[in-house]
Amino acid sequence: MSLRPTLETRRASPALEGAGVKLYRAFGFQDPSELDPFLLFDDFRNDNPADFEKGFPWHPHRGIETITYVLEGTVDHADSLGNDGSLGAGDVQWMTAGRGILHQEMPKGNAAGQMHGFQLWGNLPSDQKMTAPRYQDITSADIPVVTEDDGTRVKVITGEFWGKKGPVDGIAADPQYLDVTVPAGVKKTFRIDTYRRAFAYVFGGAGAFADASPPAGVLLEKEIAGEEVNIRDMSGDRTLIRFGTGDEVTVQAGPEGIRFLLISGAPIDEPVAWHGPIVMNTREELQTAMAELRNGTFIKPAH
């Protein structure tokens, strides 16, 4: 076994999207090869409805897949194919835009006015860029959860892990998408296929990932499960950890435990031509898509 080194640890940055939704972006619209096959990751978390209720009105997508995972509140959605529905707490929607779709996503807070969710964009290979659009709406009850004796808890959204298989299937990048909770003081190792690109995104508590570069922060040491752990080495809320090659990721949970997403996928290794919500392989394909948006032929009939 080989431990994956940490290539980079960075905080997500504030961003404004849709009709004025305040969110935090961990990566996106930079180097698409960095986390190929993944293009963008947003954390939309807010306690103020005014900062998210205007939502993401009608907009196009082509050539990608969008993965929405809701933790708190709901997201109402509708599209140009006539689909509509609502994602609740713990639900997942995996949308394959393929050759083109227009849709809208309108977040609503829970009873306390809180909204929290994530959206990940996955690229499609060239031979699937113009496939028929489709949705996979997965309720929280259908997502398997594995709990270890030490209290570690993993929700398996897609891929196989610890004997469980996630309900989302038929995805081009054959990804593994896990929601991981490790209790205070527990050190845990997770297997990841060597040939996948991988990242973690911390959204609760804190922990030290192997080889993590220390971010600026609290300069304290605490006794955790009999071991000295330097708190400054710990990655906390809204932190992205990008891993190098290897087949294992190890995390030491901090004094309040840690919760993070652990996501990996097979790189596509193809050219990327990207403009907003449309991702193709060539500039000519991108220009065609933009022209079709202008002349009303972007949405293709079913065949």
Side-chain angles (χ1 to χ4, degrees), residues 25-285:
R25 177 159 293 153
F27 63 89
F29 299 107
Q30 293 168 327
D31 179 2
S33 68
E34 182 180 78
L35 281 165
D36 178 18
F38 306 114
L39 297 164
L40 174 146
F41 182 87
D42 285 343
D43 177 348
F44 52 97
R45 182 189 337 178
N46 215 299
D47 295 336
N48 181 6
D51 290 339
F52 61 77
E53 61 188 2
K54 292 182 181 179
F56 307 90
W58 292 97
H59 59 279
H61 285 293
R62 176 178 286 180
I64 64 170
E65 300 182 286
T66 66
I67 303 96
T68 306
Y69 178 28
V70 178
L71 293 183
E72 295 289 346
T74 60
V75 176
D76 294 340
H77 63 90
D79 66 41
S80 52
L81 302 177
N83 300 307
D84 61 67
S86 182
L87 300 175
D91 296 349
V92 173
Q93 181 186 85
W94 203 294
M95 185 197 77
T96 303
R99 60 182 175 240
I101 198 165
L102 299 172
H103 77 156
Q104 65 173 355
E105 300 154 302
M106 307 303 288
K108 296 181 179 179
N110 59 17
Q114 300 167 318
M115 182 70 220
H116 189 192
F118 307 106
Q119 187 163 95
L120 174 68
W121 289 12
N123 199 7
L124 283 170
S126 56
D127 61 355
Q128 296 186 38
K129 289 285 189 189
M130 298 298 286
T131 192
R134 71 166 182 150
Y135 282 96
Q136 295 184 67
D137 284 347
I138 309 296
T139 64
S140 178
D142 292 329
I143 299 174
V145 179
V146 187
T147 303
E148 296 271 273
D149 291 342
D150 61 11
T152 299
R153 182 175 180 270
V154 179
K155 292 179 67 177
V156 186
I157 293 169
T158 186
E160 295 188 21
F161 191 76
W162 286 351
K164 297 290 185 179
K165 183 175 174 59
V168 181
D169 61 11
I171 305 303
D174 187 26
Q176 188 179 65
Y177 191 129
L178 309 174
D179 177 352
V180 180
T181 302
V182 181
V186 172
K187 187 175 184 179
K188 204 72 180 176
T189 296
F190 304 92
R191 292 290 309 277
I192 298 178
D193 187 288
T194 306
Y195 300 102
R196 297 171 183 262
R197 299 262 168 79
F199 70 92
Y201 182 77
V202 180
F203 62 97
F209 289 84
D211 256 5
S213 53
V218 182
L219 300 178
L220 293 175
E221 289 189 356
K222 291 190 177 181
E223 185 83 8
I224 300 175
E227 296 182 15
E228 286 290 326
V229 177
N230 195 335
I231 303 301
R232 70 181 179 185
D233 289 343
M234 292 195 171
S235 298
D237 190 24
R238 294 194 176 106
T239 300
L240 173 79
I241 299 94
R242 188 164 61 91
F243 300 107
T245 57
D247 51 22
E248 290 184 340
V249 166
T250 295
V251 62
Q252 166 72 63
E256 297 177 357
I258 185 172
R259 188 174 179 187
F260 60 96
L261 302 179
L262 182 58
I263 299 174
S264 62
I268 295 172
D269 289 327
E270 291 183 350
V272 172
W274 186 356
H275 181 76
I278 298 173
V279 182
M280 305 303 290
N281 293 107
T282 69
R283 182 172 177 81
E284 291 72 24
E285 291 170 338

